[in-house]
Amino acid sequence: MNNTESPVQDPSQQNLYGYVPDRDVCIIFVVLFSVSAAIHLAEAVYWRMSWLFATAVFAGVAEIVGWAARLWSSYSPFAQDPYIMQLCVTIIAPSPLVAALFILFGRISERLGEHYGRLSPMWYSIIFLTCDIISLVTQGVGGGIAGSSIGNQSDVDLGGNIMLAGIIFQLASISIFVLLMGEYFIRYLTDRPARKPKKDPAAEESYSFSRGEMTPRMRLMIISVLAMTVFLVIRSVYRMIELIDGFTGKIIQTEIYFNIFDGAMVVCAIYTLNVLHPGWLLERVYREPQVALRDFSPSASPRASLLSLNVKGRPVTMGEAE
């Protein structure tokens, strides 16, 4: 019986990328993400910040897997397994870094004054981390459907649309987060609280500043968060446009776009966190001296009062006081 339909090319004989991944570029990205992940692991252990294992370290490891798969494809451009692997992993790998942004902003607002924000630090984390998890799962499911349906264009399109929905949802949540963060900093700078300051239970015996100090370290931490946000938003916009254009579109089949707007943006974001790290920028901030009123005697001289200061439960020496 004659078949009037045009023959469908065997998927195993198709170059699914539309190009052969550049081997040198893949090696560079594998090395860059390996170094960053190792540094983040050491920093998380040193500063005892366990939340970094599930965010920065996990993102670095996921990027290593994704780019290792692309490196594999540079040797076997017709193999489906590495293509599916990189498709699924590179789409979700930066999501843990987005989660780190939400956590960091919560820590910053805790220090500068919770009442300048619409939400408490806890609710910032709960709401936006939930959004990030939903986005991650959606993108992962879409990538799995698209990757496992090669040869069935309708299912590939379905997977791509699910991935696109995940990316759009992530971009929308980041946009709302950026608006809330921008409002927070404007209110802080103009000293216009959005909510009534929470009463300090120790107010009777200790100074409680409702407006935290903008220290040089805090400025660097804010710069870190803002820079990471810009890099990750650029990457999300690119992936959204890429998926709208489709798996056979020019954007997804142009390697330089992926290398710059995905790989390079994530490298910039993850190394920003390596260098401007909350361990040394926020840890010192949380350990600033607390001066108790009971340590000052109204009848004593200023010098005698300084001698009686306590810092975090230990007496301050005269050298420290002066």
Side-chain angles (χ1 to χ4, degrees):
M1 184 173 64
N2 293 330
N3 188 352
T4 57
E5 295 182 3
S6 58
V8 177
Q9 186 179 0
D10 183 354
S12 64
Q13 300 303 313
Q14 295 182 46
N15 183 340
L16 300 170
Y17 294 92
Y19 58 85
V20 177
D22 189 295
R23 189 170 304 165
D24 292 337
V25 170
C26 293
I27 291 173
I28 289 171
F29 277 113
V30 168
V31 171
L32 287 173
F33 284 118
S34 298
V35 171
S36 179
I39 294 173
H40 273 301
L41 180 62
E43 288 174 328
V45 171
Y46 181 79
W47 295 108
R48 298 181 182 178
M49 292 183 166
S50 57
W51 59 272
L52 286 170
F53 293 118
T55 54
V57 176
F58 181 80
V61 172
E63 289 288 353
I64 293 168
V65 173
W67 282 94
R70 290 178 67 85
L71 179 60
W72 180 3
S73 291
S74 72
Y75 290 95
S76 305
F78 298 106
Q80 293 185 35
D81 288 345
Y83 176 80
I84 295 171
M85 187 186 302
Q86 66 85 35
L87 177 66
C88 295
V89 176
T90 59
I91 194 72
I92 65 172
S95 293
L97 278 181
V98 177
L101 285 178
F102 302 150
I103 295 172
L104 284 172
F105 177 66
R107 300 290 175 88
I108 289 171
S109 66
E110 237 175 20
R111 174 62 182 89
L112 295 180
E114 300 179 14
H115 50 285
Y116 292 108
R118 295 285 177 183
L119 305 171
S120 69
M122 182 183 70
W123 279 109
Y124 277 119
S125 297
I126 290 174
I127 293 173
F128 289 106
L129 286 177
T130 300
C131 290
D132 198 50
I133 292 171
I134 293 172
S135 169
L136 187 150
V137 172
T138 305
Q139 292 175 64
V141 170
I145 293 174
S148 62
S149 304
I150 295 173
N152 185 336
Q153 191 58 43
S154 62
D155 286 347
V156 170
D157 291 340
L158 173 64
N161 289 333
I162 294 174
M163 292 168 67
L164 177 60
I167 283 286
I168 291 175
F169 182 79
Q170 184 180 60
L171 190 56
S173 63
I174 293 175
S175 299
I176 294 171
F177 168 74
V178 168
L179 290 174
L180 290 173
M181 182 170 61
E183 183 196 25
Y184 176 90
F185 288 129
I186 291 172
R187 286 185 175 277
Y188 171 82
L189 292 173
T190 57
D191 199 12
R192 291 188 296 112
R195 297 179 292 121
K196 189 175 181 179
K198 187 183 294 185
K199 184 178 179 181
D200 186 355
E204 291 182 358
E205 62 179 28
S206 67
Y207 284 114
S208 177
F209 297 100
S210 61
R211 188 172 188 270
E213 182 185 356
M214 181 66 74
T215 64
R217 289 177 186 270
M218 181 60 74
R219 288 193 187 94
L220 288 176
M221 191 72 260
I222 292 171
I223 290 172
S224 175
V225 169
L226 294 178
M228 288 177 63
T229 301
V230 170
F231 295 136
L232 293 174
V233 165
I234 291 173
R235 180 262 175 190
S236 294
V237 170
Y238 160 73
R239 294 308 294 255
M240 181 182 69
I241 295 172
E242 174 195 66
L243 290 171
I244 290 174
D245 194 42
F247 285 103
T248 58
K250 180 180 179 181
I251 296 175
I252 201 170
Q253 294 190 356
T254 304
E255 182 182 17
I256 189 67
Y257 295 160
F258 184 85
N259 293 342
I260 293 175
F261 295 112
D262 188 286
M265 291 300 104
V266 181
V267 164
C268 290
I270 201 168
Y271 272 93
T272 297
L273 189 57
N274 275 131
V275 177
L276 300 177
H277 194 273
W280 69 278
L281 292 178
L282 286 183
E283 191 73 9
R284 295 286 184 87
V285 168
Y286 282 117
R287 292 180 179 178
E288 287 183 351
Q290 294 180 351
V291 182
L293 286 177
R294 64 174 177 270
D295 295 326
F296 289 89
S297 171
S299 60
S301 67
R303 184 176 180 84
S305 298
L306 282 173
L307 286 170
S308 65
L309 286 179
N310 288 327
V311 177
K312 291 184 70 68
R314 66 174 179 83
V316 178
T317 65
M318 192 58 201
E320 288 178 284
E322 294 180 339

